[in-house]
Amino acid sequence: MHSKSKEWFERAVGLMPGGVNSPVRAFRAVGGEPVFIAGGKGSRMTDVDGNTYIDYVGSWGPLILGHCHPEVMEALAKVLETGTSFGACTTREVELAEQIQKAFPSIERVRLVNSGTEATLSALRVARAATGRDKILKFEGCYHGHADSLLVKAGSGVATLGLPDSPGVPAALAALTLTAPFNDAVALENIFDAHRNQIAAAIVEPVVGNMGCVPPQPGFLEKLRALTEQQGTVLILDEVMTGFRVARGGAQQLYGIEPDLTTLGKIIGGGLPVGAYGGKAALMDLVAPAGPVYQAGTLSGNPLAVAAGAKTLEILERPGFYERLEAISARLERGLLGEARRAGVPLTVNRVGSMLTAFLNAGPVTDYASAKQSDTEAFGRFFGSLLEQGVYFPPSQFEAAFVSAAHTEQDIADTVQAAGRALEKLRA
Ligand code: KE4
């Protein structure tokens, strides 16, 4: 069944920490060993043992079009004829910046980088430079990449592995990171009172994906915007996951919140390494060489990565793209809930657009504390049974699953049927 993956994993663990290049891929939270993927096409991936899966990870969000979209692959092939990287200005990075600005009017200036981590750490540096303040505020269970200041009560792989916070982060630095529960407006008021006019930036996933999917409660983001406005705190919406995912203009379009800075990633690279941070010109013109805040990158704006991103964003513009994605994702949500009711298993599905999480939890799941009440052992068995049946869900309860434009009605029907069997087995 997975003999070749097993062999490759044995080789890998002798070469890379935990045998992987990113912790959440190691299947530690769900038991068993990771499968090694040989390739993908549309909504499906095939592993080195020839097993095929309907893929709901989509490279953790970038592949909103599915694997090997023909137009994206053609765009890449065209760039390859002219080279891979120049470390110089190219027309394509200007075009991608224009596409981003068109979808995100709050982004007056944008800087392309190579990952979401680079985007968030750079945005924080701009906010600290602009305000002359050191403290930052993040929310428990939110994950913004692995920059030191942000590895405090983080979600995603940190939550998956149950790590308190990462060793190696200087205590003096971690002490500058304040945290509050997501969706708790009272705690928000208290923290801004206690640290009045001292907070450089508040950074938040406007729809959290990294404690599992948790949407904002009505009024929460508005409250955060009002408090940051009143106290001159830079509001950073981390839309690395939600940008072009929950709407073309991200969560800020969906909920009508105008941030000072936005971070992007994943989809804007179309599966290749691209991150971005941007926002008010008054802030972004502090960034070198326009201003004194230093940030740089050998491969930033890389022609290949930018071409995949630009073509992806172009395809998202087509009429009906998001409407179809919404309809098929809603069908998956309804199906999962229906099967859970039939099997008599407590299941909460949180969904915004084509990002969703099935919590083994009676619910509601509205913050990190309630997300952590989920039965992660049962989730591991649920995941394993789905995998055996050819459905590849994120290997952690504290992650979001993603539906792509390549998923068909049949994929959804097959997934719901497999979930029904997996949930029945939990009851057994
Ligand atoms: P990267 O440095 O991994 O490109 O982006 C960091 C990041 C920043 N902000 C948000 C909201 C994110 O979701 C991420 C990365 N997401 C995880 C998945 N939950 C990446 C998967 C992984 O760590 O392997």
Side-chain angles (χ1 to χ4, degrees):
M1 184 67 170
H2 297 303
S3 54
K4 288 200 176 78
S5 282
K6 219 167 173 48
E7 278 167 37
W8 279 102
F9 193 53
E10 274 154 27
R11 281 172 65 176
V13 290
L15 293 160
M16 299 173 278
V20 293
N21 284 308
S22 199
V24 73
R25 304 179 190 174
F27 281 27
R28 287 276 175 105
V30 293
E33 294 181 347
V35 293
F36 278 62
I37 299 302
K41 189 92 187 119
S43 62
R44 290 163 189 270
M45 292 194 297
T46 302
D47 71 18
V48 292
D49 290 291
N51 305 298
T52 298
Y53 308 95
I54 303 171
D55 177 22
Y56 288 95
V57 175
S59 183
W60 300 98
L63 299 183
I64 194 167
L65 301 181
H67 295 275
C68 288
H69 187 287
E71 294 178 68
V72 174
M73 304 309 272
E74 190 193 336
L76 285 170
K78 241 196 230 117
V79 172
L80 276 173
E81 289 165 15
T82 60
T84 55
S85 181
F86 310 109
C89 301
T90 65
T91 56
R92 286 193 181 84
E93 59 199 306
V94 177
E95 288 165 345
L96 180 59
E98 284 171 342
Q99 287 176 287
I100 289 170
Q101 195 171 67
K102 188 175 146 212
F104 287 79
S106 71
I107 297 182
E108 296 171 346
R109 297 275 189 287
V110 65
R111 168 62 59 87
L112 300 180
V113 293
N114 299 279
S115 70
T117 293
E118 269 191 272
T120 56
L121 73 84
S122 307
L124 281 186
R125 186 176 303 141
V126 170
R128 282 170 157 154
T131 58
R133 302 173 184 176
D134 295 336
K135 290 177 186 172
I136 63 163
L137 169 64
K138 76 174 286 293
F139 294 86
E140 291 158 23
C142 286
Y143 176 74
H144 305 286
H146 60 87
D148 281 349
S149 289
L150 291 167
L151 280 183
V152 176
K153 295 185 186 167
S156 184
V158 182
T160 297
L161 299 174
L163 298 172
D165 290 315
S166 174
V169 176
L173 184 61
L176 295 175
T177 299
L178 310 170
T179 60
F182 184 71
N183 274 331
D184 184 337
V186 173
L188 210 45
E189 291 264 12
N190 295 339
I191 214 153
F192 272 92
D193 273 349
H195 303 271
R196 183 164 294 281
N197 301 331
Q198 299 169 41
I199 301 174
I203 184 168
V204 69
E205 293 181 61
V207 174
V208 186
N210 290 297
M211 56 176 95
C213 178
V214 175
Q217 302 267 309
F220 178 71
L221 294 177
E222 293 78 358
K223 172 64 104 183
L224 181 59
R225 178 66 284 184
L227 286 165
T228 49
E229 201 80 61
Q230 285 156 23
Q231 295 196 20
T233 295
V234 174
L235 175 59
I236 304 170
L237 290 191
D238 179 357
E239 299 227 43
V240 166
M241 188 182 287
T242 53
F244 295 99
R245 169 63 63 178
V246 298
R248 188 170 298 110
Q252 57 194 265
Q253 177 188 10
L254 206 54
Y255 298 103
I257 300 287
E258 184 175 338
D260 301 305
L261 293 177
T262 298
T263 52
L264 295 169
K266 296 184 192 276
I267 289 173
I268 66 167
L272 274 75
V274 179
Y277 65 104
K280 294 213 171 85
L283 290 171
M284 289 302 292
D285 284 345
L286 288 170
V287 178
V293 178
Y294 199 70
Q295 178 269 311
T298 303
L299 294 172
S300 298
N302 170 272
L304 272 175
V306 164
K311 181 53 75 177
T312 297
L313 300 195
E314 181 196 312
I315 294 169
L316 298 180
E317 297 272 340
R318 293 176 187 164
F321 181 88
Y322 285 95
E323 290 77 4
R324 181 185 175 276
L325 212 44
E326 171 59 29
I328 199 162
S329 304
R331 189 184 296 267
L332 175 61
E333 175 188 1
R334 280 196 307 274
L336 292 172
L337 288 171
E339 290 302 327
R341 265 193 303 280
R342 207 172 50 74
V345 172
L347 189 84
T348 296
V349 177
N350 284 355
R351 178 179 72 84
V352 180
S354 57
M355 67 186 264
L356 69 145
T357 296
F359 290 97
L360 270 295
N361 189 318
V365 178
T366 57
D367 58 13
Y368 195 33
S370 48
K372 283 194 293 187
Q373 298 306 311
S374 303
D375 184 341
T376 51
E377 189 277 328
F379 180 85
R381 287 189 284 134
F382 177 64
F383 170 86
S385 172
L386 285 177
L387 196 72
E388 265 167 40
Q389 298 181 75
V391 177
Y392 194 95
F393 251 51
S396 161
Q397 176 67 96
F398 306 114
E399 292 288 356
F402 301 100
V403 182
S404 84
H407 283 75
T408 64
E409 308 278 346
Q410 190 57 53
D411 288 334
I412 302 301
D414 294 349
T415 303
V416 168
Q417 194 179 42
R421 290 197 202 104
L423 290 163
E424 267 162 22
K425 278 173 70 177
L426 291 185
R427 292 295 290 172

